[in-house]
Amino acid sequence: MNHKHGGAGRKGRLLIIGGAENRTCGSGPLETFVELAGAEDARIVVITTATEVPEEVADEYTAVFGRLGVSSVRELRLLGRAAADDAATQRALETATGVLFSGGDQSRIRTLVGSRTNELLKRRSTRRAW
């Protein structure tokens, strides 16, 4: 599967991985995620809002995505509505070819409901925008 993704004409995709995915090897769901996001050209944003250990989780994902050939990985720690509505957050998500929500207490993601981030992700996943 060596496809270039992110161009016009493609609807967004939602890949639901679940909890405790294997981050130590290069196979499985994260490898599929990287392929769908553009392989070595992927620009991945990891949203660490749900976890209690965001730095650790961001470092783990950066390492595993690096092993899978991705050099562009950015963490977004959206701890409140202001961060979810921030212009820098919007720019990061507009240019991302893949967005991953980390595990943890998913109720913390409530802060995104109704935010500019929520609207942007919704728009990108329902239109031909990834």
Side-chain angles (χ1 to χ4, degrees):
M1 217 189 330
N2 191 10
H3 306 291
K4 300 292 182 191
H5 298 290
R10 301 220 47 231
K11 285 193 176 187
R13 294 181 185 199
L14 181 62
L15 178 65
I16 300 173
I17 296 174
E21 79 281 355
N22 184 350
R23 291 182 228 149
T24 61
C25 66
S27 62
L30 293 179
E31 187 173 65
T32 300
F33 176 76
V34 167
E35 280 294 321
L36 293 171
E40 68 275 357
D41 296 326
R43 292 178 311 278
I44 295 175
V45 170
V46 178
I47 298 178
T48 58
T49 303
T51 183
E52 290 183 3
V53 288
E55 290 171 19
E56 179 181 320
V57 167
D59 288 346
E60 287 177 10
Y61 278 114
T62 299
V64 75
F65 289 138
R67 286 192 300 273
L68 294 171
V70 178
S71 61
S72 178
V73 180
R74 177 174 177 178
E75 176 199 8
L76 287 180
R77 197 176 309 177
L78 306 176
L79 299 179
R81 184 61 174 266
D85 286 339
D86 184 70
T89 297
Q90 303 308 297
R91 283 191 301 274
L93 293 170
E94 284 284 358
T95 61
T97 60
V99 177
L100 184 136
F101 284 82
S102 72
D105 181 354
Q106 300 301 307
S107 69
R108 292 186 182 126
I109 297 174
R110 286 188 301 243
T111 190
L112 302 180
V113 175
S115 69
R116 290 177 61 199
T117 290
N118 184 113
E119 293 306 310
L120 187 150
L121 291 173
K122 181 177 164 185
R123 184 175 67 251
R124 291 203 62 202
S125 67
T126 58
R127 285 204 241 163
R128 301 170 190 267
W130 287 104

